[in-house]
Amino acid sequence: MARILFVTWDGGGNVPPALGIATEARNRGHQVRFLGHAQQRRRIESNGFRFTPYTHARPWQSTTRHPGIAGVYQSLAVFTDAGPGIDLLETVAREPADVVVVDCFLYGALQAAADARLTRVTLVHTYYEFMYRGVTRGTTPVMARLKGQRPLRLWTSSDLALVTTEKDLDPASRRSLPASVHYTGVVRHPMPSTLTPVSERDPLILVSLSSLNFGGQQRALQNILEAVAGLPAHTVVTTGPSVDPATFTAGPNTEVHGYVPHEQILPTATLVIGHGGHDTTMRALAHDLPLVILPIHPALDQKMIGRSLEQRGVARCLRKTAAPERIRSAVGELLVAGPHRVTAATLGARIRAHDGAVHAADLIDHLPIRERRKGVR
């Protein structure tokens, strides 16, 4: 039995893979707890885990809008912040950990874990290619170096770097990667034991953009609502906590909610309209669903994910400002039978066949914890 500490942050789609792996580890008898932003307490404790809030980390909340260049710098300040690392070391001093699993964006926490010689796992919750590009060009490596951090070195020098995506979709999988990097497959959400083929389902569209507060999201949702009006399909829209569902005008065959658990809708849906967030996108594919993707934030992984699926023929990737007529055309193409459904079903079967949480826990189980325990006290 190992004592495992997950170090996370309030980033939206980064949390479900961590919770999935943590649940699998707990089911194997490990002691698992979390460290993160205070507002994450309810979600993490509702999954049965002990939670410690940051006391030194910069404040950050995903539902607060962080627009423009200033928002990018605010995000980078959170990623390069030394505060989570201070909290990590203080937490481990109070209660030792055999393994720390740190979100790949928390460079300050990863640096502290490396300096303390902790047995550490980097959790990469999207395409490795996107993360690699982000830390080898542009503003991120400059800000990180000013604080003495080398994100890429921190990931590759970890005992493990777990990439929780479908390997064949990630452009990075086509080149040689460091030995520490392992593709686990997608960490699955609850799924029905059997799926009704999409061709046998009544037409149903799930619309879900980001739960984070991104600029242009309100307009994109309204354009989508206008696009689906009059189509021969029922539509369910979930706006998330950042957008008020009462502010939209919808057609008679459309429901608009702030929140509905997606596991209630996906097994009967025939199409998803999303923003390209990794977690929601992989959940759709796991249910054999094609997608229309409107990337909302230009600096995130959404465009890369959307384009990779468009290249596979399983999605249409549009601008977030796409007019209703353009969205309606893309939706109409994917609502009917065609090769996109065959491709979606192939990808779905592959995702369902390998639960990333199981593979991740297997890899963590094989870490040489006892030999390194002296270094975590």
Coordinates of all heavy atoms in Angstrom, one line a residue, residues 9-12 39 59-68 70-72 74-75 78 210-215 217 240-243 297 300:
W9 N -5.1 21.7 -9.8 CA -5.5 23.1 -9.8 C -6.9 23.2 -10.5 O -7.3 22.2 -11.1 CB -4.5 23.9 -10.5 CG -4.3 23.7 -12.0 CD1 -3.8 22.6 -12.5 CD2 -4.8 24.5 -13.0 NE1 -3.8 22.7 -13.9 CE2 -4.4 23.8 -14.2 CE3 -5.4 25.7 -13.1 CZ2 -4.7 24.4 -15.5 CZ3 -5.7 26.3 -14.4 CH2 -5.3 25.6 -15.5
D10 N -7.5 24.3 -10.3 CA -8.9 24.5 -10.8 C -8.9 24.8 -12.2 O -9.0 26.0 -12.6 CB -9.6 25.6 -9.9 CG -11.0 25.8 -10.3 OD1 -11.6 24.8 -10.9 OD2 -11.6 26.9 -10.1
G11 N -8.7 23.8 -13.1 CA -8.6 24.1 -14.5 C -9.6 23.5 -15.4 O -9.5 23.6 -16.6
G12 N -10.6 22.8 -14.8 CA -11.7 22.3 -15.6 C -11.4 20.8 -16.0 O -11.4 19.9 -15.2
Q39 N -11.6 26.1 -3.7 CA -12.9 25.8 -4.3 C -13.1 24.4 -4.9 O -14.2 24.0 -5.3 CB -13.2 26.9 -5.4 CG -12.3 26.9 -6.6 CD -11.1 27.7 -6.5 OE1 -10.7 28.1 -5.4 NE2 -10.5 28.1 -7.6
P59 N -4.2 32.9 -6.0 CA -5.6 32.5 -6.2 C -5.9 32.4 -7.7 O -5.4 33.1 -8.5 CB -6.4 33.7 -5.6 CG -5.4 34.8 -5.5 CD -4.0 34.2 -5.4
W60 N -6.8 31.5 -8.0 CA -7.2 31.2 -9.4 C -8.6 30.5 -9.3 O -8.8 29.6 -8.6 CB -6.2 30.3 -10.1 CG -6.7 30.0 -11.5 CD1 -7.4 28.8 -11.9 CD2 -6.5 30.7 -12.7 NE1 -7.6 28.9 -13.2 CE2 -7.1 30.0 -13.8 CE3 -5.8 31.9 -13.0 CZ2 -7.1 30.5 -15.1 CZ3 -5.8 32.4 -14.3 CH2 -6.4 31.7 -15.3
Q61 N -9.5 30.9 -10.2 CA -10.8 30.3 -10.3 C -11.2 30.2 -11.7 O -11.1 31.1 -12.5 CB -11.8 31.1 -9.5 CG -13.1 30.3 -9.3 CD -13.9 30.8 -8.1 OE1 -13.5 31.7 -7.4 NE2 -15.1 30.2 -7.9
S62 N -11.6 29.0 -12.2 CA -11.8 28.7 -13.6 C -13.0 29.5 -14.1 O -13.1 29.7 -15.3 CB -12.0 27.2 -13.8 OG -13.1 26.7 -13.1
T63 N -14.0 29.8 -13.2 CA -15.2 30.4 -13.7 C -15.0 32.0 -13.8 O -15.9 32.6 -14.3 CB -16.4 30.1 -12.8 OG1 -16.0 30.5 -11.4 CG2 -16.7 28.7 -12.9
T64 N -13.9 32.5 -13.4 CA -13.6 33.9 -13.6 C -13.0 34.1 -14.9 O -12.1 33.4 -15.4 CB -12.6 34.4 -12.5 OG1 -13.2 34.2 -11.2 CG2 -12.3 35.9 -12.7
R65 N -13.4 35.1 -15.6 CA -12.9 35.4 -17.0 C -11.6 36.0 -16.9 O -11.3 37.0 -16.1 CB -13.9 36.3 -17.7 CG -13.5 36.4 -19.2 CD -14.5 37.3 -20.0 NE -14.1 37.5 -21.3 CZ -14.6 38.4 -22.2 NH1 -15.6 39.2 -21.8 NH2 -14.1 38.5 -23.4
H66 N -10.6 35.6 -17.7 CA -9.3 36.1 -17.8 C -9.0 36.4 -19.3 O -8.4 35.6 -20.0 CB -8.3 35.1 -17.3 CG -8.6 34.6 -15.9 ND1 -8.2 35.3 -14.8 CD2 -9.2 33.5 -15.4 CE1 -8.6 34.7 -13.7 NE2 -9.2 33.6 -14.0
P67 N -9.5 37.6 -19.8 CA -9.4 37.9 -21.2 C -8.1 38.3 -21.7 O -7.2 38.8 -20.9 CB -10.4 39.0 -21.3 CG -10.4 39.7 -20.0 CD -10.1 38.6 -19.0
G68 N -7.8 38.1 -23.0 CA -6.7 38.7 -23.7 C -5.4 38.3 -23.2 O -5.2 37.3 -22.6
A70 N -3.6 39.7 -21.0 CA -3.5 39.8 -19.6 C -3.9 38.4 -19.0 O -3.3 37.9 -18.0 CB -4.3 40.9 -19.0
G71 N -4.9 37.8 -19.6 CA -5.3 36.5 -19.1 C -4.3 35.4 -19.3 O -4.1 34.5 -18.5
V72 N -3.6 35.5 -20.4 CA -2.5 34.5 -20.7 C -1.4 34.7 -19.6 O -0.9 33.6 -19.1 CB -1.9 34.8 -22.1 CG1 -0.7 33.9 -22.3 CG2 -3.0 34.5 -23.2
Q74 N -1.8 35.9 -16.6 CA -2.3 35.4 -15.3 C -2.2 33.9 -15.2 O -1.9 33.4 -14.2 CB -3.8 35.9 -15.2 CG -3.9 37.4 -14.9 CD -5.3 37.9 -15.1 OE1 -6.2 37.2 -15.3 NE2 -5.5 39.2 -14.9
S75 N -2.6 33.2 -16.3 CA -2.5 31.8 -16.3 C -1.0 31.3 -16.1 O -0.8 30.4 -15.3 CB -3.0 31.2 -17.7 OG -4.3 31.6 -17.9
V78 N 0.1 31.5 -12.6 CA -0.3 30.4 -11.8 C 0.6 29.1 -12.0 O 0.9 28.4 -11.1 CB -1.8 30.0 -12.1 CG1 -2.2 28.7 -11.5 CG2 -2.7 31.2 -11.7
S210 N -17.0 25.1 -23.1 CA -16.2 24.9 -21.9 C -16.9 25.3 -20.6 O -17.8 26.2 -20.6 CB -14.9 25.8 -22.0 OG -14.1 25.7 -20.9
S211 N -16.5 24.7 -19.5 CA -17.0 25.1 -18.2 C -16.3 26.3 -17.7 O -16.7 26.9 -16.7 CB -16.9 23.9 -17.2 OG -15.5 23.6 -17.1
L212 N -15.1 26.6 -18.3 CA -14.4 27.8 -18.0 C -15.0 29.1 -18.6 O -15.8 28.9 -19.6 CB -12.9 27.7 -18.4 CG -12.0 26.9 -17.5 CD1 -12.5 25.4 -17.4 CD2 -10.6 26.9 -17.9
N213 N -14.6 30.2 -18.2 CA -15.2 31.5 -18.6 C -14.3 32.1 -19.7 O -13.4 32.8 -19.5 CB -15.3 32.4 -17.5 CG -16.3 33.6 -17.8 OD1 -16.5 33.9 -19.0 ND2 -16.8 34.3 -16.8
F214 N -14.6 31.7 -21.0 CA -13.8 32.2 -22.1 C -14.6 33.2 -22.9 O -15.8 33.1 -23.0 CB -13.5 31.0 -23.1 CG -12.5 30.0 -22.5 CD1 -12.6 28.7 -22.7 CD2 -11.4 30.5 -21.7 CE1 -11.7 27.8 -22.2 CE2 -10.5 29.6 -21.2 CZ -10.7 28.2 -21.5
G215 N -13.9 34.2 -23.5 CA -14.5 35.2 -24.3 C -15.1 34.6 -25.6 O -14.5 33.7 -26.1
Q217 N -17.8 32.9 -25.8 CA -18.6 31.7 -25.6 C -20.1 31.9 -25.7 O -20.8 31.1 -26.3 CB -18.2 31.1 -24.2 CG -18.7 29.7 -24.0 CD -17.8 29.0 -22.9 OE1 -16.9 28.3 -23.2 NE2 -18.1 29.3 -21.6
G240 N -22.9 25.3 -18.6 CA -21.8 25.3 -17.6 C -22.0 26.4 -16.6 O -22.9 27.3 -16.8
P241 N -21.1 26.5 -15.6 CA -21.3 27.5 -14.5 C -20.9 29.0 -14.9 O -21.3 29.9 -14.2 CB -20.3 27.0 -13.5 CG -19.2 26.3 -14.2 CD -19.9 25.7 -15.4
S242 N -20.3 29.2 -16.1 CA -19.9 30.5 -16.4 C -20.9 31.3 -17.3 O -20.7 32.5 -17.5 CB -18.5 30.4 -17.2 OG -17.5 29.8 -16.4
V243 N -21.9 30.6 -17.8 CA -22.9 31.2 -18.7 C -24.3 31.0 -18.1 O -24.6 29.8 -17.8 CB -22.7 30.7 -20.1 CG1 -23.7 31.4 -21.0 CG2 -21.3 30.9 -20.6
H297 N -10.7 29.0 -27.2 CA -9.5 29.8 -26.7 C -8.4 29.4 -27.7 O -8.0 28.3 -27.7 CB -9.2 29.4 -25.3 CG -8.3 30.4 -24.7 ND1 -7.0 30.6 -25.1 CD2 -8.5 31.3 -23.6 CE1 -6.4 31.5 -24.3 NE2 -7.3 31.9 -23.4
L300 N -5.1 27.4 -26.2 CA -5.3 26.1 -25.6 C -5.2 25.0 -26.6 O -5.1 25.2 -27.8 CB -6.5 26.0 -24.7 CG -6.6 27.1 -23.6 CD1 -7.8 26.9 -22.8 CD2 -5.3 26.9 -22.7

